[in-house]
Amino acid sequence: RMTAPRREPEAMTTSITPRPATLADAPTIRALTREAYARWVPLIGREPLPMTADHARAVREHRIDLIETDGRLVALIEMIRHPDHLLIENLAVAPDCQGQGLGRALMAHADRVAASLGHRETRLYTNRAFAANLRFYAGLGYRIDREEAFGNGTVVHMSRAVAAHAGDA
């Protein structure tokens, strides 16, 4: 299996300031999401759900925050507010920008958003076949809460307490 070379992490990712998505961003959000999730298609034999989502609807109904570099969308996080937690619905980073800390920075941003909403917990889910995602989230302190069958695979539900240092978003 071939993988693209990863760039070295850059210091700037620790102080990113994502901007909120607008409806005009929906096509670019769709394109980035499809690009970021394409690597999983051969593994599970279908497009992962984020690739087929209605991104215009997501922009209208959820909070999607974007990171751009030189006018190009390079990373995004989609969050859904629930009464007792913030659900991270989608985290996508352009393949050529992975390994630079953008995903980590957006997950820290989600903590700040959750804290600003008064939530003490963030949750997410991923496919059990996505071992790299499971390692990434576990490395951020997420624990597996439960697993459930979905199609021919298994969805892993994870959560973690909002970091004590999370400030206003």
Side-chain angles (χ1 to χ4, degrees), residues 41-162:
V41 174
L43 182 65
I44 63 173
R46 64 170 175 78
E47 291 186 340
L49 295 180
M51 292 179 78
T52 63
D54 180 341
H55 297 285
R57 180 179 179 190
V59 170
R60 287 191 306 271
E61 297 179 3
H62 306 156
R63 177 172 176 164
I64 302 178
D65 290 336
L66 313 175
I67 298 176
E68 295 173 320
T69 301
D70 299 324
R72 174 184 166 226
L73 178 61
V74 295
L76 65 86
I77 190 163
E78 177 181 350
M79 300 164 281
I80 303 172
R81 184 179 187 174
H82 288 268
D84 63 342
H85 70 279
L86 185 69
L87 176 67
I88 298 165
E89 178 74 7
N90 182 10
L91 176 68
V93 177
D96 66 324
C97 295
Q98 292 175 4
Q100 296 180 16
L102 296 172
R104 285 183 179 279
L106 283 171
M107 295 299 286
H109 172 69
D111 266 358
R112 292 187 297 274
V113 170
S116 75
L117 296 171
H119 293 319
R120 295 183 181 175
E121 184 177 61
T122 55
R123 297 181 188 173
L124 58 85
Y125 55 91
T126 192
N127 191 310
R128 186 170 59 188
F130 302 168
N133 288 3
L134 291 170
R135 283 191 304 274
F136 174 73
Y137 296 128
L140 295 176
Y142 279 83
R143 68 179 184 279
I144 295 174
D145 297 321
R146 64 186 166 89
E147 296 185 9
E148 67 180 333
F150 179 82
N152 293 332
T154 302
V155 175
V156 178
H157 295 266
M158 305 178 83
S159 66
R160 81 167 178 193
V162 171

